[in-house]
């Protein structure tokens, strides 16, 4: 059984939408069971929407890339929203980002993220 990693929107978006960190995201993800809170789908949909608005000529390509998320095998795990609020308050993160941190803490898992604030909060919490 592979170890588990919590993956956030920044890493999945980098992979799906061909961003510069995409190859690095793949390296972080290989041979791991990937999990995320259910809000990942909403955040990815919003990233796709923003990219479609900014680059209308690439709309079809972006929507195709967005639909590939289903092939990544990321398992959604619910979070305790009350605890997420307290964690966000303590760390200064948004509740969205704190959801990933909370999940990683509960699962004792590494976070795969390109978000500087989330990475710093994980490090300050003694997490990978």
């Amino acid at each position: 059984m592979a170890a588990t990693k919590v993956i956030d929107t920044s890493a999945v978006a980098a992979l799906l939408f061909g961003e510069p960190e995409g190859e690095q995201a793949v390296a972080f993800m290989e041979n791991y069971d990937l999990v995320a809170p259910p809000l990942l789908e909403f955040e990815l949909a919003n990233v796709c929407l923003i990219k479609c608005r900014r680059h209308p000529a690439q709309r079809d390509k972006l929507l195709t890339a967005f639909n590939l998320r289903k092939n990544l095998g990321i398992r959604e795990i619910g979070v305790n929203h009350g605890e997420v609020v307290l964690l966000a308050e303590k760390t200064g993160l948004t509740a969205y980002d704190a959801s990933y941190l909370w999940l990683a803490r509960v699962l004792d898992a590494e976070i795969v993220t390109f978000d500087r604030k989330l990475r710093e909060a994980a490090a300050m919490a003694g997490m990978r």
Side-chain angles (χ1 to χ4, degrees):
M1 184 174 188
T4 299
K5 286 188 179 183
V6 174
I7 188 161
D8 86 335
T9 306
S10 66
V12 178
L15 173 66
L16 291 178
F17 300 115
E19 295 173 7
E21 301 92 351
E23 288 183 28
Q24 189 179 2
V26 171
F28 288 144
M29 295 165 56
E30 285 183 328
N31 302 315
Y32 288 92
D33 289 328
L34 302 173
V35 299
L39 66 96
L40 175 69
E41 290 281 325
F42 294 103
E43 289 189 316
L44 286 173
N46 199 54
V47 169
C48 184
L49 175 63
I50 290 168
K51 287 182 177 293
C52 285
R53 287 177 176 163
R54 287 185 184 157
H55 310 284
Q58 296 180 19
R59 179 184 175 275
D60 291 343
K61 179 181 172 185
L62 291 165
L63 291 173
T64 298
F66 174 68
N67 287 323
L68 292 175
R69 76 195 184 287
K70 300 170 190 169
N71 300 336
L72 297 177
I74 300 170
R75 186 168 43 104
E76 292 183 357
I77 298 178
V79 299
N80 180 313
H81 294 99
E83 291 180 14
V84 165
V85 169
L86 297 176
L87 184 59
E89 185 178 51
K90 180 179 176 182
T91 59
L93 294 171
T94 65
Y96 305 114
D97 288 345
S99 295
Y100 295 96
L101 184 61
W102 182 90
L103 189 57
R105 187 165 70 180
V106 167
L107 298 176
D108 191 27
E110 182 178 348
I111 295 180
V112 178
T113 183
F114 295 115
D115 182 285
R116 180 188 51 79
K117 286 181 76 172
L118 180 52
R119 205 173 39 246
E120 288 173 359
M124 289 189 67
M127 302 168 65
R128 304 163 277 179

